[in-house]
Amino acid sequence: MARTLRARKFQPNYTSIIGVEDNGNEAGPSTVALDDDSSGSDFTPETETKKSRKSLGVVEDERDDEDELVGDDEEEPLETPQILSSKQIGVKSKSRVRKGKGPVSVAKSTVSKPTTLSGSFRRQMYTLPTPSVHHRHRAVPLYSVLGRVERLTSRPGLFSTPDIVLTNNFTMNATIIDRLNKAWGYNVGAGPFWELVEDRGWFKEARGLMESESNRRPKVHENVNSNGWTFLSIEEASTYLPTDDITTEEGNFRPPPPIRCSFGPFGSQTTRATEMLTTFKMADLIPDSSAHVFNAGAPAWGIDWCPLHPNTQNGYTHYLAVGPLSSPSHSPEIGVRVQRPSRACIQIWSFGSDADYAFTDTRRNGNANAAFQHDPGKMRCDLVLCIGCGPAYELRWCPLPSPSAQTSLGGRYTPKKLGLLSGTFEDGSFAIFAIPDPKDISPPEHNRSGPIYIKLPNPVLRIELEEACCWSIDWANSEVVAIGMTNGSIGVYDVGSALKQINDTSYLPITDLLPTHYLNVHQAAIRALAWVRAPTSDSSGEPRFDEDPIVLGSGGTDGVVCLTNIRSGHGSVMNRTRDVINSMSYSSYGGGPVTVDHDDAVKAYSASPKMLGRGHMLVEPQGPVWVRTNFSDELGLTESWFVQSISASDFHPQLAVGAADGTCTTTNLLRSTRRGGSVPFFAHKIYQLDYNRTSKEFRMLEQFFPQETQDRGAANNPNNVKLRNAANDERGTGVWPREVGVQRVVWNSGSGLAAAGMLASATGSGLCRVDVLSGRWLKEKSVKMPYGGVENIRLEGDNVVDDMDIDSDEGSI
């Protein structure tokens, strides 16, 4: 009896779904050859994949960037592949399918994309809020506050009382957020717009209304006085100052020789020999220049501006703390501490008015916004602190003003205190020093041409760990500080509770403070820390302005960038690189940390839950980020360090970057996110230091043309030969002398709106520099601001202009 086979069930024809003609019942393979040129490999280039999809009639969603960037605050739905109708199946069209140019018969697929070996895959280890790789989001504020803030009504003078009025703050409503972000994007200058600067920093110590800076940044730790210090003579202090690498016949190290450097315009430079602890203004060589150059004596790793209270009677004098190394060849080793006492110094430089300087107003044709300089100022080293804990790795003032008045308790006179200065030092400790006011301790017979030398035997507070050295620091506010250790751990300390207990002028140093949190986050030394200074939220989502921040960004020598919630007890990896993460800064304008990515690129990351971890490249310095190299000199084999530094401000979105190639660069964090717009992506080279190994002389160049930021990803495209060659030409060889590296840059973020453009930087030669930078509108000749003026940008008036005015082709970004 013949065997009866079971009837074959109907199988769906998947070829009709993917848009390939059915060949009926012809014999053939069970899979369809989608493209004769397909290699059938997962590594097929994307260009070949696109050809394969076009051969099937699949229409890619080729929306313009303009369409993608409309509505930055809304998440876009996933794109669904579109399939042409059956009449157009198998027809290859060379013309682009354009939207709005007539009816096109399409049928949207209701099934997922077929799995084919030659298909286009996007394997990613994370999920982003938008699938478009070309979408660049604007900065998202991390919290909102009510009330008003201060803004400038005229271009401020550096050393005079600014004209200030109240205005709507950045987070008043969504319209102001959008308008301010767009207006800042039109800055093509090296510094900030004085019209738009605003204090966006937050500290839980703020009292009363947030309108006044004196309430937002009140005085703290006024009970702590400077005590225990003694005067030193120049001969006694010379053992604490930086020295040369060459010894005398008696075996003592010589003082550092003067640094010979050429300054001024290119082609007509003047060579000057700058002695240690001396300075000069660039206005003597370049008219209207606001830069000042001074010699710290050795490479400086620590540099920071002292915050000043608006009511401080200091004659609008700004102070800068500089911590030089002991000699130009001094090379600290990670995790290796020196024994105390190890002699070193901290220099306090003043930047005040120069009443003897004859200035000229250079405003042209009555244009009040043109570049002019009333008073270039004058720098002087006022105070040298002689300490015994070794050179400073990093220096940070308490972020809020912490002065104190003169006191007389029990017949003991205590001078005024300038502030609280903290740092990590080569003895492996973290220490806080109470710095006396140089004006209050100056002896009557003191010669104002030189500094005052004092010895600080003990700090106010010292933190030491047996298992690791303190390496990096950052203040969350005036009470909480985070310390990065050389073993990869982070210690969080409540120093405010300890400092508040000091009620005597002859107190002993605090050495028994324990951490509130001790987290093992990295596998190597932590080189960079940055608090995300945003308040926590309660159960209803309202911000808690009375609590400390809890999110901390960190980067280490393991090449990992982490965001850590100190309440969770562990860090979350945000990025991994091949480089050492040696610098990180929190930007209140960018809404997240700014740090280093692959190939020395500087990227800004968002800390907002909506865009957590999303970042975009800002600038690519030509120098490496942190390279430890060996070199041979007259003394033998020694080591050197190349450093890159990043600094963001609480008052504006301009980012400063210092690199190993000797350049100090600024760029705009809030530049326009639209590709192809009229606003270029500029990187401004403030200056570049060069060194001649033969003549042992330096050269400082400035007044560079702005450079448009190169997209290295596009430059690596083999089809874009022109852009690839241009990027490679700018890249250079990567070989620079260790002396030219710009090791530290820092904005003045604690002395009010008028000082927001002050930028200090330190180099590996010992030459340091202070610049006062300002912004520039895209159309400076017509002084045409977006929306017709700052009143319309902040919605101050009744008749608000809705148009951009400055550039109508930009539209709504």
mmCIF file of all heavy atoms in Angstrom, residues 220-227 402-405 407 414-420 432-435 459-461 495-496 498-505 507 510:
data_model
loop_
_atom_site.group_PDB
_atom_site.id
_atom_site.type_symbol
_atom_site.label_atom_id
_atom_site.label_comp_id
_atom_site.label_asym_id
_atom_site.label_seq_id
_atom_site.Cartn_x
_atom_site.Cartn_y
_atom_site.Cartn_z
ATOM 1 N N VAL A 220 31.508 83.073 54.448
ATOM 2 C CA VAL A 220 31.509 81.856 55.250
ATOM 3 C C VAL A 220 32.819 81.784 56.041
ATOM 4 O O VAL A 220 33.804 82.440 55.695
ATOM 5 C CB VAL A 220 31.347 80.592 54.373
ATOM 6 C CG1 VAL A 220 29.992 80.582 53.684
ATOM 7 C CG2 VAL A 220 32.460 80.505 53.346
ATOM 8 N N HIS A 221 32.789 80.979 57.094
ATOM 9 C CA HIS A 221 33.980 80.689 57.917
ATOM 10 C C HIS A 221 34.682 81.957 58.375
ATOM 11 O O HIS A 221 35.920 82.038 58.389
ATOM 12 C CB HIS A 221 34.960 79.817 57.135
ATOM 13 C CG HIS A 221 34.352 78.548 56.599
ATOM 14 N ND1 HIS A 221 33.615 77.689 57.382
ATOM 15 C CD2 HIS A 221 34.374 77.996 55.362
ATOM 16 C CE1 HIS A 221 33.210 76.658 56.654
ATOM 17 N NE2 HIS A 221 33.648 76.827 55.429
ATOM 18 N N GLU A 222 33.890 82.942 58.775
ATOM 19 C CA GLU A 222 34.490 84.176 59.289
ATOM 20 C C GLU A 222 35.107 83.963 60.663
ATOM 21 O O GLU A 222 35.887 84.804 61.127
ATOM 22 C CB GLU A 222 33.424 85.277 59.349
ATOM 23 C CG GLU A 222 32.874 85.679 57.992
ATOM 24 C CD GLU A 222 31.884 86.823 58.078
ATOM 25 O OE1 GLU A 222 32.337 87.979 58.259
ATOM 26 O OE2 GLU A 222 30.676 86.573 57.983
ATOM 27 N N ASN A 223 34.756 82.857 61.329
ATOM 28 C CA ASN A 223 35.311 82.583 62.651
ATOM 29 C C ASN A 223 36.752 82.080 62.596
ATOM 30 O O ASN A 223 37.458 82.097 63.605
ATOM 31 C CB ASN A 223 34.455 81.546 63.367
ATOM 32 C CG ASN A 223 34.386 80.226 62.594
ATOM 33 O OD1 ASN A 223 33.978 80.218 61.433
ATOM 34 N ND2 ASN A 223 34.779 79.133 63.209
ATOM 35 N N VAL A 224 37.196 81.623 61.410
ATOM 36 C CA VAL A 224 38.546 81.093 61.263
ATOM 37 C C VAL A 224 39.501 82.251 60.974
ATOM 38 O O VAL A 224 39.328 82.991 60.002
ATOM 39 C CB VAL A 224 38.622 80.041 60.143
ATOM 40 C CG1 VAL A 224 40.022 79.478 60.029
ATOM 41 C CG2 VAL A 224 37.612 78.934 60.391
ATOM 42 N N ASN A 225 40.505 82.395 61.805
ATOM 43 C CA ASN A 225 41.487 83.460 61.639
ATOM 44 C C ASN A 225 42.845 82.871 61.257
ATOM 45 O O ASN A 225 43.111 81.693 61.494
ATOM 46 C CB ASN A 225 41.629 84.262 62.939
ATOM 47 C CG ASN A 225 40.339 84.942 63.341
ATOM 48 O OD1 ASN A 225 39.876 85.856 62.671
ATOM 49 N ND2 ASN A 225 39.765 84.508 64.463
ATOM 50 N N SER A 226 43.666 83.700 60.670
ATOM 51 C CA SER A 226 45.024 83.282 60.312
ATOM 52 C C SER A 226 45.931 83.496 61.512
ATOM 53 O O SER A 226 46.016 84.602 62.057
ATOM 54 C CB SER A 226 45.533 84.081 59.109
ATOM 55 O OG SER A 226 45.522 85.466 59.400
ATOM 56 N N ASN A 227 46.595 82.431 61.950
ATOM 57 C CA ASN A 227 47.458 82.548 63.116
ATOM 58 C C ASN A 227 48.677 81.662 62.945
ATOM 59 O O ASN A 227 48.741 80.826 62.036
ATOM 60 C CB ASN A 227 46.695 82.155 64.384
ATOM 61 C CG ASN A 227 46.406 80.667 64.432
ATOM 62 O OD1 ASN A 227 46.428 79.994 63.412
ATOM 63 N ND2 ASN A 227 46.139 80.148 65.619
ATOM 64 N N SER A 402 35.534 83.908 52.098
ATOM 65 C CA SER A 402 35.756 83.538 53.497
ATOM 66 C C SER A 402 36.722 84.491 54.171
ATOM 67 O O SER A 402 37.712 84.071 54.777
ATOM 68 C CB SER A 402 36.282 82.101 53.592
ATOM 69 O OG SER A 402 37.426 81.923 52.774
ATOM 70 N N PRO A 403 36.491 85.808 54.081
ATOM 71 C CA PRO A 403 37.382 86.748 54.763
ATOM 72 C C PRO A 403 37.007 86.867 56.241
ATOM 73 O O PRO A 403 35.975 86.349 56.694
ATOM 74 C CB PRO A 403 37.137 88.050 54.011
ATOM 75 C CG PRO A 403 35.702 87.956 53.605
ATOM 76 C CD PRO A 403 35.445 86.496 53.320
ATOM 77 N N SER A 404 37.819 87.535 56.987
ATOM 78 C CA SER A 404 37.515 87.829 58.380
ATOM 79 C C SER A 404 38.078 89.196 58.709
ATOM 80 O O SER A 404 39.078 89.632 58.128
ATOM 81 C CB SER A 404 38.100 86.765 59.318
ATOM 82 O OG SER A 404 39.512 86.746 59.235
ATOM 83 N N ALA A 405 37.436 89.870 59.658
ATOM 84 C CA ALA A 405 37.864 91.207 60.053
ATOM 85 C C ALA A 405 38.979 91.115 61.078
ATOM 86 O O ALA A 405 39.302 90.043 61.594
ATOM 87 C CB ALA A 405 36.678 91.995 60.594
ATOM 88 N N THR A 407 40.678 91.217 64.545
ATOM 89 C CA THR A 407 40.198 90.868 65.882
ATOM 90 C C THR A 407 41.308 91.095 66.894
ATOM 91 O O THR A 407 42.491 91.044 66.572
ATOM 92 C CB THR A 407 39.752 89.392 65.944
ATOM 93 O OG1 THR A 407 40.863 88.548 65.605
ATOM 94 C CG2 THR A 407 38.596 89.134 65.001
ATOM 95 N N THR A 414 44.935 89.945 65.699
ATOM 96 C CA THR A 414 44.855 89.029 64.560
ATOM 97 C C THR A 414 44.470 89.820 63.323
ATOM 98 O O THR A 414 43.426 90.482 63.309
ATOM 99 C CB THR A 414 43.806 87.930 64.807
ATOM 100 O OG1 THR A 414 44.151 87.209 65.990
ATOM 101 C CG2 THR A 414 43.755 86.964 63.634
ATOM 102 N N PRO A 415 45.291 89.807 62.297
ATOM 103 C CA PRO A 415 44.984 90.596 61.093
ATOM 104 C C PRO A 415 43.839 89.987 60.299
ATOM 105 O O PRO A 415 43.358 88.893 60.591
ATOM 106 C CB PRO A 415 46.296 90.553 60.308
ATOM 107 C CG PRO A 415 46.944 89.276 60.736
ATOM 108 C CD PRO A 415 46.562 89.089 62.178
ATOM 109 N N LYS A 416 43.436 90.701 59.290
ATOM 110 C CA LYS A 416 42.361 90.237 58.420
ATOM 111 C C LYS A 416 42.783 88.982 57.655
ATOM 112 O O LYS A 416 43.969 88.781 57.390
ATOM 113 C CB LYS A 416 41.976 91.325 57.413
ATOM 114 C CG LYS A 416 41.383 92.575 58.039
ATOM 115 C CD LYS A 416 41.055 93.584 56.959
ATOM 116 C CE LYS A 416 40.489 94.863 57.559
ATOM 117 N NZ LYS A 416 40.181 95.878 56.504
ATOM 118 N N LYS A 417 41.795 88.186 57.334
ATOM 119 C CA LYS A 417 42.047 86.975 56.544
ATOM 120 C C LYS A 417 41.532 87.196 55.127
ATOM 121 O O LYS A 417 40.430 87.696 54.920
ATOM 122 C CB LYS A 417 41.334 85.773 57.181
ATOM 123 C CG LYS A 417 41.544 84.472 56.429
ATOM 124 C CD LYS A 417 40.963 83.292 57.189
ATOM 125 C CE LYS A 417 39.547 82.961 56.788
ATOM 126 N NZ LYS A 417 38.531 83.782 57.428
ATOM 127 N N LEU A 418 42.369 86.835 54.142
ATOM 128 C CA LEU A 418 41.977 86.959 52.744
ATOM 129 C C LEU A 418 41.008 85.847 52.347
ATOM 130 O O LEU A 418 40.044 86.085 51.605
ATOM 131 C CB LEU A 418 43.216 86.927 51.851
ATOM 132 C CG LEU A 418 43.000 87.149 50.359
ATOM 133 C CD1 LEU A 418 42.428 88.538 50.103
ATOM 134 C CD2 LEU A 418 44.310 86.975 49.596
ATOM 135 N N GLY A 419 41.239 84.622 52.815
ATOM 136 C CA GLY A 419 40.364 83.501 52.490
ATOM 137 C C GLY A 419 40.996 82.199 52.927
ATOM 138 O O GLY A 419 42.089 82.161 53.506
ATOM 139 N N LEU A 420 40.307 81.096 52.625
ATOM 140 C CA LEU A 420 40.784 79.752 52.926
ATOM 141 C C LEU A 420 41.255 79.104 51.634
ATOM 142 O O LEU A 420 40.494 78.991 50.664
ATOM 143 C CB LEU A 420 39.674 78.909 53.559
ATOM 144 C CG LEU A 420 39.200 79.337 54.946
ATOM 145 C CD1 LEU A 420 38.075 78.426 55.423
ATOM 146 C CD2 LEU A 420 40.350 79.330 55.950
ATOM 147 N N ILE A 432 44.257 72.783 54.387
ATOM 148 C CA ILE A 432 43.573 74.066 54.236
ATOM 149 C C ILE A 432 44.342 75.091 55.047
ATOM 150 O O ILE A 432 44.576 74.911 56.249
ATOM 151 C CB ILE A 432 42.111 73.991 54.715
ATOM 152 C CG1 ILE A 432 41.323 72.974 53.874
ATOM 153 C CG2 ILE A 432 41.444 75.358 54.620
ATOM 154 C CD1 ILE A 432 39.880 72.816 54.326
ATOM 155 N N PHE A 433 44.727 76.194 54.383
ATOM 156 C CA PHE A 433 45.473 77.264 55.029
ATOM 157 C C PHE A 433 44.600 78.516 55.104
ATOM 158 O O PHE A 433 43.838 78.814 54.165
ATOM 159 C CB PHE A 433 46.756 77.588 54.262
ATOM 160 C CG PHE A 433 47.789 76.503 54.292
ATOM 161 C CD1 PHE A 433 47.862 75.553 53.279
ATOM 162 C CD2 PHE A 433 48.697 76.425 55.335
ATOM 163 C CE1 PHE A 433 48.816 74.550 53.309
ATOM 164 C CE2 PHE A 433 49.657 75.430 55.372
ATOM 165 C CZ PHE A 433 49.713 74.487 54.367
ATOM 166 N N ALA A 434 44.719 79.235 56.198
ATOM 167 C CA ALA A 434 44.091 80.549 56.346
ATOM 168 C C ALA A 434 45.096 81.600 55.908
ATOM 169 O O ALA A 434 46.140 81.783 56.548
ATOM 170 C CB ALA A 434 43.655 80.774 57.792
ATOM 171 N N ILE A 435 44.795 82.291 54.807
ATOM 172 C CA ILE A 435 45.746 83.218 54.191
ATOM 173 C C ILE A 435 45.487 84.626 54.715
ATOM 174 O O ILE A 435 44.374 85.156 54.571
ATOM 175 C CB ILE A 435 45.618 83.188 52.659
ATOM 176 C CG1 ILE A 435 45.664 81.743 52.143
ATOM 177 C CG2 ILE A 435 46.696 84.040 52.024
ATOM 178 C CD1 ILE A 435 46.927 81.003 52.500
ATOM 179 N N PRO A 459 48.729 74.047 58.895
ATOM 180 C CA PRO A 459 47.479 74.454 58.261
ATOM 181 C C PRO A 459 46.345 74.484 59.279
ATOM 182 O O PRO A 459 46.494 74.054 60.435
ATOM 183 C CB PRO A 459 47.267 73.374 57.200
ATOM 184 C CG PRO A 459 47.895 72.155 57.790
ATOM 185 C CD PRO A 459 49.077 72.642 58.594
ATOM 186 N N VAL A 460 45.198 74.952 58.853
ATOM 187 C CA VAL A 460 44.005 74.909 59.691
ATOM 188 C C VAL A 460 43.513 73.477 59.831
ATOM 189 O O VAL A 460 43.119 73.027 60.909
ATOM 190 C CB VAL A 460 42.906 75.815 59.099
ATOM 191 C CG1 VAL A 460 41.634 75.731 59.938
ATOM 192 C CG2 VAL A 460 43.390 77.243 59.003
ATOM 193 N N LEU A 461 43.538 72.739 58.738
ATOM 194 C CA LEU A 461 43.043 71.362 58.709
ATOM 195 C C LEU A 461 43.932 70.548 57.782
ATOM 196 O O LEU A 461 44.354 71.041 56.727
ATOM 197 C CB LEU A 461 41.580 71.333 58.237
ATOM 198 C CG LEU A 461 40.860 69.992 58.158
ATOM 199 C CD1 LEU A 461 39.379 70.167 58.516
ATOM 200 C CD2 LEU A 461 40.963 69.391 56.759
ATOM 201 N N VAL A 495 34.112 69.215 55.846
ATOM 202 C CA VAL A 495 35.071 70.093 56.519
ATOM 203 C C VAL A 495 34.377 71.274 57.172
ATOM 204 O O VAL A 495 34.929 71.903 58.086
ATOM 205 C CB VAL A 495 36.139 70.590 55.528
ATOM 206 C CG1 VAL A 495 36.937 69.430 54.965
ATOM 207 C CG2 VAL A 495 35.511 71.400 54.397
ATOM 208 N N GLY A 496 33.152 71.583 56.737
ATOM 209 C CA GLY A 496 32.443 72.710 57.318
ATOM 210 C C GLY A 496 32.133 72.515 58.781
ATOM 211 O O GLY A 496 32.246 73.459 59.585
ATOM 212 N N ALA A 498 33.821 70.846 60.928
ATOM 213 C CA ALA A 498 35.051 70.985 61.709
ATOM 214 C C ALA A 498 35.485 72.442 61.799
ATOM 215 O O ALA A 498 35.929 72.906 62.865
ATOM 216 C CB ALA A 498 36.160 70.139 61.088
ATOM 217 N N LEU A 499 35.372 73.192 60.711
ATOM 218 C CA LEU A 499 35.808 74.586 60.731
ATOM 219 C C LEU A 499 34.904 75.451 61.594
ATOM 220 O O LEU A 499 35.362 76.452 62.165
ATOM 221 C CB LEU A 499 35.847 75.137 59.303
ATOM 222 C CG LEU A 499 36.854 74.483 58.349
ATOM 223 C CD1 LEU A 499 36.735 75.079 56.956
ATOM 224 C CD2 LEU A 499 38.279 74.647 58.870
ATOM 225 N N LYS A 500 33.627 75.105 61.705
ATOM 226 C CA LYS A 500 32.713 75.900 62.519
ATOM 227 C C LYS A 500 33.015 75.790 64.009
ATOM 228 O O LYS A 500 32.566 76.632 64.794
ATOM 229 C CB LYS A 500 31.272 75.463 62.243
ATOM 230 C CG LYS A 500 30.772 75.834 60.860
ATOM 231 C CD LYS A 500 29.361 75.331 60.628
ATOM 232 C CE LYS A 500 28.881 75.688 59.223
ATOM 233 N NZ LYS A 500 27.510 75.159 58.962
ATOM 234 N N GLN A 501 33.742 74.764 64.414
ATOM 235 C CA GLN A 501 34.049 74.581 65.830
ATOM 236 C C GLN A 501 35.210 75.431 66.312
ATOM 237 O O GLN A 501 35.480 75.494 67.513
ATOM 238 C CB GLN A 501 34.347 73.105 66.100
ATOM 239 C CG GLN A 501 33.185 72.173 65.809
ATOM 240 C CD GLN A 501 33.542 70.709 65.996
ATOM 241 O OE1 GLN A 501 34.656 70.386 66.420
ATOM 242 N NE2 GLN A 501 32.610 69.828 65.681
ATOM 243 N N ILE A 502 35.906 76.086 65.385
ATOM 244 C CA ILE A 502 37.045 76.931 65.762
ATOM 245 C C ILE A 502 36.527 78.233 66.349
ATOM 246 O O ILE A 502 35.788 78.979 65.696
ATOM 247 C CB ILE A 502 37.951 77.202 64.553
ATOM 248 C CG1 ILE A 502 38.524 75.894 64.010
ATOM 249 C CG2 ILE A 502 39.057 78.172 64.915
ATOM 250 C CD1 ILE A 502 39.361 76.065 62.765
ATOM 251 N N ASN A 503 36.849 78.519 67.581
ATOM 252 C CA ASN A 503 36.396 79.737 68.253
ATOM 253 C C ASN A 503 37.521 80.458 68.980
ATOM 254 O O ASN A 503 37.278 81.242 69.881
ATOM 255 C CB ASN A 503 35.270 79.407 69.249
ATOM 256 C CG ASN A 503 35.686 78.338 70.251
ATOM 257 O OD1 ASN A 503 36.853 77.954 70.311
ATOM 258 N ND2 ASN A 503 34.712 77.851 71.011
ATOM 259 N N ASP A 504 38.747 80.183 68.583
ATOM 260 C CA ASP A 504 39.893 80.799 69.252
ATOM 261 C C ASP A 504 40.914 81.193 68.198
ATOM 262 O O ASP A 504 40.976 80.615 67.112
ATOM 263 C CB ASP A 504 40.512 79.821 70.255
ATOM 264 C CG ASP A 504 41.537 80.505 71.161
ATOM 265 O OD1 ASP A 504 41.671 81.737 71.057
ATOM 266 O OD2 ASP A 504 42.190 79.808 71.940
ATOM 267 N N THR A 505 41.708 82.209 68.527
ATOM 268 C CA THR A 505 42.730 82.661 67.584
ATOM 269 C C THR A 505 43.982 81.798 67.635
ATOM 270 O O THR A 505 44.830 81.890 66.753
ATOM 271 C CB THR A 505 43.117 84.119 67.885
ATOM 272 O OG1 THR A 505 43.578 84.209 69.244
ATOM 273 C CG2 THR A 505 41.921 85.036 67.693
ATOM 274 N N TYR A 507 44.169 78.275 67.735
ATOM 275 C CA TYR A 507 43.671 76.912 67.609
ATOM 276 C C TYR A 507 44.763 75.993 67.072
ATOM 277 O O TYR A 507 45.715 76.427 66.408
ATOM 278 C CB TYR A 507 42.450 76.877 66.687
ATOM 279 C CG TYR A 507 42.675 77.521 65.345
ATOM 280 C CD1 TYR A 507 43.247 76.821 64.290
ATOM 281 C CD2 TYR A 507 42.332 78.857 65.126
ATOM 282 C CE1 TYR A 507 43.468 77.416 63.066
ATOM 283 C CE2 TYR A 507 42.541 79.462 63.914
ATOM 284 C CZ TYR A 507 43.121 78.739 62.882
ATOM 285 O OH TYR A 507 43.338 79.340 61.666
ATOM 286 N N ILE A 510 43.406 70.755 62.763
ATOM 287 C CA ILE A 510 42.479 69.614 62.823
ATOM 288 C C ILE A 510 43.070 68.477 61.986
ATOM 289 O O ILE A 510 43.299 68.641 60.779
ATOM 290 C CB ILE A 510 41.091 70.021 62.307
ATOM 291 C CG1 ILE A 510 40.544 71.186 63.130
ATOM 292 C CG2 ILE A 510 40.138 68.833 62.347
ATOM 293 C CD1 ILE A 510 39.275 71.783 62.564
#
